[in-house]
Amino acid sequence: MKVDQEDIDLLYDEQERNDTFRDHLSTVDQKGKRIWLYPKKPIGKYFNKRAMVSFFLIAFLITGPFIRIGGEPLLLLNIFERKFVLLGQVFWPQDFYLFAIGLITFFVFIILFTVVYGRVFCGWICPQTIFMEFIFRRIEYLIEGDYTAQRKLDKEPLNTRKAIKKTVKHLLFIMVSAVIMHTFMAYLVGIERTWEIINNSPAANPGGFTAMVVMTGLFYGVFSRMREQVCTTICPYGRLQGVLLDKNSMVVAYDYKRGENRGKLRKNQDRAETGLGDCIDCKQCVFVCPTGIDIRNGTQLECVNCTACMDACDNIMTKVSKPKGLIRYASEEGIKEGKPFTFTKRMIAYSVVLMLLIGLTGSQLLLRSDLDTTIMRTPGVLYQKRDDGTVTNLYNLKIINKTNKKMDIQLKPVKGFLDIEMIGGELEIEPNATLSRSFFLIADPSKLNAVSSTFKIDVLSGGKEIEQVKTKFLGPVR
């Protein structure tokens, strides 16, 4: 008897209402005990593409601290000295507004990207996924074998063979964790400081050594024990995606219209006549899942869009002479209605806001001054009269050089009747340094129109105006 497609839709909806898979994590049993996962080694075109992306990102991450642009590192996030470098450009705390704008842009991008493409970031770019699937699991597969061999090895009583395999695996895990930790340390304090800590004894820098040991242990614990728990229970982005996704979001989805009803493949069987779909219930999509879910149950919190189930299903469909794509990138609405992916008004709105923020961030970076100059009247000091009849105000000057070159600085009042007298000689500031000095601003009192006047001072370098600073000048009452 042939089953109508509407009956399949109703059956699938009923199954979703009755299934309890949404009420608990796939890696926790009814007693609250963790279920250790043994995912099958994935193979297929999507895995190969992810491998290319992952190895490129790993190579870029490791070589990044050694890349220099204009003498500065490619990326440095030195929170200890409050110095940040991006693409060779140095940023200081005074550039915090750029960080705020960039952070807003980043969050809007994350929201937009998730609304449109689901958790593609998690499966393709996230460091947790890349390190876990393309380094640590590769080591595990190499030493212990595929998922069945790993499960069998763990069930064996302790013997010489098991002890050697486990020891070698965890020693390699610790070594890789140490490399990852040193790489991240180089992005925090710079490659030179990292090498200094490595080459010196722990007693020379106990704080740095302790931090390295703790961070190595943290990375080792994450990739040897926590694993998928980071994605399913710890990562805030994973929890947030349940709010951001809708039925039009692009996700890794099972095409139930093709697949249902499920049934084992039998020889000389007409599946259409018996009401069976293309899914032969081989469960290969479950075996390869690194978070232990059954993608056929629909979009789930634990799914990181790693495409392992897509490769596994495509391989099976090829073997049984069925079209690929039973599990594919699609939206829930697209599968239900049979419509191609389209941008919704919500997606367009996010895109417009994102483009505006990117434009604002880019313009602020382009207009960013090479110097950050602060001029403030010395507190508690009034104006002073000189023998020649002029009056002076004392100012404190602070200049931050954001460039990689030494700069000669000159101050020039915009008003012609003002003059500047520096205390301590000419102004020279070293690259990426701060200079603090004092100076007198001298004025003809007959030119002053009020007790407190606002004047502008040009900050020059090599005769070129870098920026203009406003300041107050106090004069006598007229």
Side-chain angles (χ1 to χ4, degrees), residues 186-370:
Y187 282 106
L188 291 177
V189 298
I191 189 65
E192 295 84 1
R193 180 59 177 158
T194 302
W195 277 117
E196 181 182 336
I197 296 175
I198 293 173
N199 293 326
N200 292 334
S201 68
N205 193 331
F209 177 76
T210 302
M212 286 187 169
V213 172
V214 171
M215 291 300 293
T216 299
L218 180 63
F219 282 120
Y220 169 74
V222 166
F223 294 112
S224 66
R225 298 302 302 175
M226 293 299 297
R227 300 193 164 195
E228 76 284 343
Q229 301 296 311
V230 174
C231 303
T232 58
T233 61
I234 297 176
C235 177
Y237 177 52
R239 313 300 293 184
L240 185 63
Q241 69 139 355
V243 184
L244 300 177
L245 293 181
D246 60 23
K247 291 186 177 181
N248 294 300
S249 299
M250 186 73 74
V251 294
V252 173
Y254 165 67
D255 188 348
Y256 65 91
K257 296 176 79 74
R258 264 188 60 189
E260 301 299 321
N261 288 325
R262 308 171 196 170
K264 297 294 183 181
L265 183 67
R266 303 185 187 280
K267 189 176 181 180
N268 300 323
Q269 179 187 51
D270 189 337
R271 298 181 68 83
E273 288 297 327
T274 56
L276 297 177
D278 287 353
C279 179
I280 63 173
D281 204 22
C282 62
K283 293 185 172 60
Q284 291 301 307
C285 58
V286 181
F287 296 153
V288 298
C289 181
T291 58
I293 66 170
D294 188 342
I295 193 62
R296 298 172 299 175
N297 288 331
T299 302
Q300 297 160 63
L301 171 69
E302 298 93 334
C303 179
V304 294
N305 283 204
C306 69
T307 71
C309 56
M310 292 168 56
D311 279 328
C313 187
D314 283 349
N315 292 335
I316 295 298
M317 290 295 103
T318 300
K319 291 179 181 179
V320 299
S321 302
K322 294 289 185 181
K324 295 181 180 180
L326 181 59
I327 302 176
R328 62 182 186 273
Y329 278 124
S331 65
E332 291 185 17
E333 190 69 18
I335 288 179
K336 185 174 182 179
E337 301 295 334
K339 296 179 180 179
F341 175 76
T342 56
F343 275 83
T344 64
K345 292 181 179 180
R346 181 186 181 192
M347 297 174 187
I348 295 174
Y350 277 132
S351 299
V352 171
V353 173
L354 178 61
M355 294 306 297
L356 291 174
L357 286 172
I358 291 176
L360 177 61
T361 304
S363 64
Q364 291 295 322
L365 290 174
L366 291 174
L367 297 174
R368 174 177 172 264
S369 174
D370 291 338

Side-chain angles (χ1 to χ4, degrees), residues 39-303:
K40 182 180 179 181
K41 185 178 180 180
I43 54 173
K45 68 174 185 178
Y46 289 105
F47 175 79
N48 294 336
K49 291 178 180 178
R50 283 203 304 137
M52 293 175 60
V53 173
S54 297
F55 292 140
F56 169 78
L57 292 175
I58 291 172
F60 184 78
L61 177 72
I62 294 175
T63 58
F66 299 93
I67 300 175
R68 296 277 170 171
I69 300 177
E72 290 293 336
L74 179 71
L75 176 65
L76 179 67
L77 304 174
N78 193 337
I79 58 177
F80 309 105
E81 297 179 4
R82 297 184 297 174
K83 178 183 177 182
F84 307 92
V85 181
L86 177 62
L87 300 178
Q89 295 294 317
V90 181
F91 296 89
W92 298 89
Q94 288 77 10
D95 298 311
F96 182 79
Y97 70 98
L98 293 175
F99 172 77
I101 295 173
L103 195 63
I104 294 172
T105 303
F106 173 76
F107 280 122
V108 173
F109 177 82
I110 288 293
I111 293 171
L112 168 67
F113 199 80
T114 306
V115 167
V116 181
Y117 298 107
R119 289 184 76 175
V120 172
F121 170 85
C122 297
W124 290 76
I125 304 177
C126 177
Q128 166 70 17
T129 302
I130 290 176
F131 288 137
M132 188 70 249
E133 300 301 323
F134 293 96
I135 296 183
F136 289 90
R137 286 207 199 278
R138 299 301 104 186
I139 294 173
E140 206 162 51
Y141 291 137
L142 179 65
I143 296 175
E144 297 184 356
D146 207 349
Y147 69 120
T148 53
Q150 292 177 22
R151 186 182 290 109
K152 182 180 178 181
L153 181 67
D154 283 352
K155 289 183 178 180
E156 288 181 8
L158 184 62
N159 52 48
T160 303
R161 171 177 164 274
K162 181 176 181 179
I164 292 175
K165 284 181 175 290
K166 293 293 184 181
T167 301
V168 172
K169 183 185 80 169
H170 286 282
L171 284 176
L172 289 175
F173 279 6
I174 293 173
M175 291 173 60
V176 174
S177 298
V179 171
I180 296 173
M181 180 278 306
H182 283 87
T183 302
F184 278 97
M185 182 69 74
Y187 282 106
L188 291 177
V189 298
I191 189 65
E192 295 84 1
R193 180 59 177 158
T194 302
W195 277 117
E196 181 182 336
I197 296 175
I198 293 173
N199 293 326
N200 292 334
S201 68
N205 193 331
F209 177 76
T210 302
M212 286 187 169
V213 172
V214 171
M215 291 300 293
T216 299
L218 180 63
F219 282 120
Y220 169 74
V222 166
F223 294 112
S224 66
R225 298 302 302 175
M226 293 299 297
R227 300 193 164 195
E228 76 284 343
Q229 301 296 311
V230 174
C231 303
T232 58
T233 61
I234 297 176
C235 177
Y237 177 52
R239 313 300 293 184
L240 185 63
Q241 69 139 355
V243 184
L244 300 177
L245 293 181
D246 60 23
K247 291 186 177 181
N248 294 300
S249 299
M250 186 73 74
V251 294
V252 173
Y254 165 67
D255 188 348
Y256 65 91
K257 296 176 79 74
R258 264 188 60 189
E260 301 299 321
N261 288 325
R262 308 171 196 170
K264 297 294 183 181
L265 183 67
R266 303 185 187 280
K267 189 176 181 180
N268 300 323
Q269 179 187 51
D270 189 337
R271 298 181 68 83
E273 288 297 327
T274 56
L276 297 177
D278 287 353
C279 179
I280 63 173
D281 204 22
C282 62
K283 293 185 172 60
Q284 291 301 307
C285 58
V286 181
F287 296 153
V288 298
C289 181
T291 58
I293 66 170
D294 188 342
I295 193 62
R296 298 172 299 175
N297 288 331
T299 302
Q300 297 160 63
L301 171 69
E302 298 93 334
C303 179

Side-chain angles (χ1 to χ4, degrees), residues 284-458:
Q284 291 301 307
C285 58
V286 181
F287 296 153
V288 298
C289 181
T291 58
I293 66 170
D294 188 342
I295 193 62
R296 298 172 299 175
N297 288 331
T299 302
Q300 297 160 63
L301 171 69
E302 298 93 334
C303 179
V304 294
N305 283 204
C306 69
T307 71
C309 56
M310 292 168 56
D311 279 328
C313 187
D314 283 349
N315 292 335
I316 295 298
M317 290 295 103
T318 300
K319 291 179 181 179
V320 299
S321 302
K322 294 289 185 181
K324 295 181 180 180
L326 181 59
I327 302 176
R328 62 182 186 273
Y329 278 124
S331 65
E332 291 185 17
E333 190 69 18
I335 288 179
K336 185 174 182 179
E337 301 295 334
K339 296 179 180 179
F341 175 76
T342 56
F343 275 83
T344 64
K345 292 181 179 180
R346 181 186 181 192
M347 297 174 187
I348 295 174
Y350 277 132
S351 299
V352 171
V353 173
L354 178 61
M355 294 306 297
L356 291 174
L357 286 172
I358 291 176
L360 177 61
T361 304
S363 64
Q364 291 295 322
L365 290 174
L366 291 174
L367 297 174
R368 174 177 172 264
S369 174
D370 291 338
L371 298 176
D372 189 271
T373 307
T374 304
I375 298 177
M376 297 184 64
R377 289 188 67 261
T378 303
V381 179
L382 297 176
Y383 68 89
Q384 295 178 337
K385 288 185 179 181
R386 291 190 171 184
D387 295 339
D388 59 2
T390 58
V391 293
T392 65
N393 280 199
L394 181 61
Y395 293 86
N396 293 330
L397 171 68
K398 182 177 181 181
I399 304 177
I400 298 176
N401 184 0
K402 303 176 183 178
T403 69
N404 303 317
K405 58 184 179 180
K406 185 177 180 180
M407 300 183 72
D408 295 325
I409 306 299
Q410 301 87 38
L411 301 182
K412 180 181 178 181
V414 174
K415 296 292 186 180
F417 61 86
L418 296 174
D419 196 10
I420 288 179
E421 181 182 292
M422 296 300 306
I423 299 177
E426 300 297 326
L427 297 175
E428 289 185 349
I429 182 169
E430 298 296 325
N432 301 315
T434 301
L435 175 67
S436 296
R437 296 283 286 278
S438 297
F439 69 89
F440 287 105
L441 187 59
I442 308 169
D444 181 351
S446 65
K447 302 291 186 178
L448 301 176
N449 298 322
V451 175
S452 178
S453 305
T454 300
F455 295 116
K456 296 178 181 179
I457 298 177
D458 288 334

